[in-house]
Amino acid sequence: MTQPDRSGRNTVTWALVAALLVLGVAGTLVVPLYARTAPKLGPFPFFYWYQLAWIPIVAILACAAYLLTRHRTGRHTQDARDTRDTRDTRGAHRTGQERRDESR
């Protein structure tokens, strides 16, 4: 089975992924940003709705980070799936393309 080529890894993409994930964590860990009661949103003080607002924000940031990594590595995964060899019941080697051709 072939391994994906790791030499072409884009460091800018991975730096962006790390920044997105750090932003999601840091927004809720820096307490002085939200350690106050005003402004209120209905009966809720600021520190409550600030924390609740981060739930969808972190979900969006994590989704964006996942899509960036999936877009970058998905091509290699598909190539590896198409080129790996498997054995049929008679012991002969077949590639992924040969298996697809036989199933038609």
Side-chain angles (χ1 to χ4, degrees):
M1 182 158 80
T2 62
Q3 295 293 324
D5 181 24
R6 303 272 185 214
S7 63
R9 184 177 278 182
N10 188 350
T11 56
V12 174
T13 302
W14 290 106
L16 182 59
V17 166
L20 289 172
L21 296 176
V22 166
L23 179 65
V25 172
T28 56
L29 288 181
V30 183
V31 177
L33 288 175
Y34 60 90
R36 58 181 188 253
T37 56
K40 288 187 172 187
L41 183 63
F44 297 106
F46 178 72
F47 57 87
Y48 283 128
W49 63 263
Y50 178 83
Q51 289 285 316
L52 289 174
W54 273 97
I55 294 171
I57 293 170
V58 169
I60 291 168
L61 292 173
C63 181
Y66 167 73
L67 291 175
L68 282 171
T69 60
R70 182 174 173 230
H71 175 70
R72 181 72 193 131
T73 58
R75 182 178 58 228
H76 297 299
T77 305
Q78 183 61 38
D79 290 345
R81 244 186 266 137
D82 287 341
T83 59
R84 70 176 173 223
D85 288 339
T86 58
R87 293 185 175 268
D88 66 2
T89 56
R90 296 171 302 205
H93 287 288
R94 295 182 300 159
T95 63
Q97 184 63 40
E98 291 169 340
R99 285 192 314 272
R100 281 193 293 276
D101 292 341
E102 288 178 6
S103 66
R104 291 182 188 169

